[in-house]
Amino acid sequence: MASAIIVFSHLRWDFVFQRPQHLLSRMARHYPVVIVEEPVYDAERTYLKTYSPIPNVLVCQPHTPVNMPGFHDDQLPHLQKLLKQVVRDYPDHMAWFYTPMALPLLQELQPRLVVYDCMDELASFKNAPKQLLQRESALLKVADIVFTGGQSLYRSKRDRHPNVHCFPSSVDSAHFLQALDRTNSHPAHREIPGPRLGFYGVIDERFDVDLIGRLADAHAMWQIVLVGPVVKIDPATLPQRENIHYLGQQPYEALPQFLAGWDVCLLPFAMNESTRFISPTKTLEYMAAELPIVSTPVADVASCYSDIVAIAADADAFIAACEAALLAPPEEHARRVDGMRRVLAATSWDSTVEQMRTLLDTTPRRQDATLPQPDVEALAVADATPNVNRLRQQDANRYAKTAIIGAGPTGLSAAYHLGHDAVLLEKSDMVGGWCRSIKDNGFTFDHAGHIMFSNDPYVLELYDILLGSNMHWQDREAWIYSKNVYTRYPFQGALHGLPPEVIKECIMGAIEARYGSGKPGHAPVPTAARASDCCADGGVTLPGSNVAALEKRGPANFEEFIYQVWGAGIAKHFAIPYNRKLWAVPLTEMETSWLGGRVPLPNLEEMISGALEPAGKPMGPNARFGYPLRGGFQALMSGFVPHIKGTIELNADVVAVSPKQHLITLADGRRYEYENLISTMPLPLLVKMIGDEAPEEVREAAAGLKHISVRCVNLGVARENITDKHWIYYPEDSIFHRIFVQGNASPECNPPGGFGITCEITYSPTWKPLQLSGQALIDRCIADCIKVGMLKEDDKIIAANEVDMPYAYVVYDHARAKNVETIKSWLAMYDVILAGRYSEWEYYNSDHAFIAGKKAAEAVKWVEKKSALAAE
């Protein structure tokens, strides 16, 4: 028995009869055809509904309790179970994809061939899944043969696969020749006078509704007949006129009758991203009816049939072309009909299927191909790695022109800027790194607090590209809670409300820091300066135009820096206790180069003004910040996915890296050979993955790098609007150093009646071990939230969880610079590009990470260009 064809389709068999039905009904004369459709929601159970519309075709319609569209990831466990039932009856089979979204189901099959029939650029369609582009990239890597439904699609895919063949949509001429009997008009026309200008097909975002309205208004006597279902657009947005007739979806068998009653056939497609690659099946069907055709400048129609089809670039030209078609002299009509007949004589669905069959039969089957021999050196690397799955060791090495480790903001940006040849490896089951978000009982929580802000125009433009309308901006409300009162951030510029003796100490200390106190180690510094961030956590960036260069006898460490810059009062009451709490390391062990090498100084006039009356609204370049309206900060990260043309491999945990062999090994045994490597993983972890291949001094340098970790406790409270603040710093006695008010980042982060907050706790095994964990830590955070007035005793907690971030902040200790340089210098010898906060071991915010990813991609392209020139 011939191999069965197991088809994964985003279109239902009983929807509009088009390319899949034409091809597969004919393939069914030679192969059993099994069509797996997208799931249907059933609240109660998982089951498979099947029916046979024609001989040798079995349509499988999965029903699942997952109310998500298409081949959504949440559907996969149910679909895998159902697919096993199907495959059991067809052990010898090919896999045929119309949608790349079904690619994860391929693991349930053992196909002899994998076919991708690319009939549309689905990623350009409305409501396209965000993963579609990267799924297609993955499908192109595993497919044995690729068919495209038109010339434009062929040109876009031919360089991405070695075995691509163009098969434009064809026609069943015999069926549509019935339309030549003009007396056989469809009964629906009885109440519609002529002349009739008609279109049939799906009415969606590809349909130019404004053009149809203009067409109907141009000539009230013209009757516009539109046949087909309305999907993905609101029917209320369609033009309503007495001479526009919406007749809904009609059977394929009835289409010739509609054509028989029309005077002009229309292809009124909108010229947008969704129509860039379309090749309308109806074009040739209209030709079989030998009717005048007027089209907008769809590429595949204009390039192939402009001598037959009237092409009109705008509404006025379209109306004029319809007028000309209705008034065309017989000899002009005869000329066009001759051209139509020549086109139809050269193609048919039957001949298309025969050509496809020849390619299917001559493409080597997977079981017939010679298996690649194992790479002995690569196996040695895997054998030395204890947590590699040995079951996968006989797989051939995979190839990546550029491998990127880590799908955080830097890795996503690098993949975004690189293009098709990048493979992005992420150990988690979702992209985002520490910029991920989680959901719990209707709440959305980030991994610690994140906001969108940048002075870089490119980053601001990137925000728009990634989020579009899913973004909103608001004024920053950053505060400090100390001495039982709230003061606006920054501390030194908003002392009003603090106890008088505290205010006095802060102002006097600032004066002494400015003019000198005679105390050892407190050297005076120049005067011109403005109030600035004394938190050193990157949460707020203030103007830094009035700064003074560090003197030669500058501070020896971060603690001295605080005393010299802000004075003993601010140091005592905020800067020292807060930074000790935040950094979890002795401040004397931290140097100051990460602060920019220039000292921001308090402005005494502003300090006194801020002490005498409440500080005004925040000023500075990030006085307003952005945040995704829906989806948490994750939405910004996920926004990269549809734009990434390379492959994203999730659950890809890197366990070994060999810079000398240009080889990466994953925990499941897969191995990637690469030409270029961009690493965004923490630098000590990368050196650990390299193992003994790294010299001893490099391993020692990596062991000397210090960092601190963050544990976040997320609390969902059954009370709305518990505060108007965005985040609050806590320098005093609470387990957390900061609360990020998730519920105010966006109202969409809260369920109705609820409000979310995130308590951030830093820890370090060496200097500040985590006191509690699990429920005990959650209970402590709740108690401290009540103590500082964030929560009430009777507040009901309806969501509570904790998130751990083992690498959170890079510590700038005195040995850091030398250790980083030692590691970077060695890795540079093997063309490893380090990018981002943790791989460069630098203090980066997310906007800096985006730029770091862009620069890494540019570095790879520069190396490739240099190599290409050298080869010439």
Side-chain angles (χ1 to χ4, degrees), residues 552-580:
K552 291 181 179 179
R553 292 193 305 108
N557 54 61
F558 185 31
E559 184 164 312
E560 283 193 12
F561 173 94
I562 290 171
Y563 279 103
Q564 284 192 24
V565 172
W566 290 295
I570 292 172
K572 172 184 175 183
H573 294 292
F574 178 70
I576 292 294
Y578 180 80
N579 280 291
R580 282 176 179 168

Side-chain angles (χ1 to χ4, degrees), residues 479-481 486 725 727-730 737-739 741 790:
W479 293 74
I480 298 158
Y481 183 82
Y486 286 104
K725 299 170 177 59
W727 60 88
I728 305 107
Y729 300 102
Y730 294 92
H737 66 276
R738 186 174 84 149
I739 288 180
V741 185
M790 178 60 70

Side-chain angles (χ1 to χ4, degrees), residues 189-216:
H189 290 146
R190 288 173 186 163
E191 304 301 324
I192 303 175
R196 304 185 193 102
L197 292 75
F199 165 88
Y200 62 72
V202 179
I203 299 174
D204 57 15
E205 75 273 17
R206 295 169 293 176
F207 190 77
D208 193 335
V209 294
D210 294 333
L211 175 60
I212 291 298
R214 290 279 301 276
L215 190 65

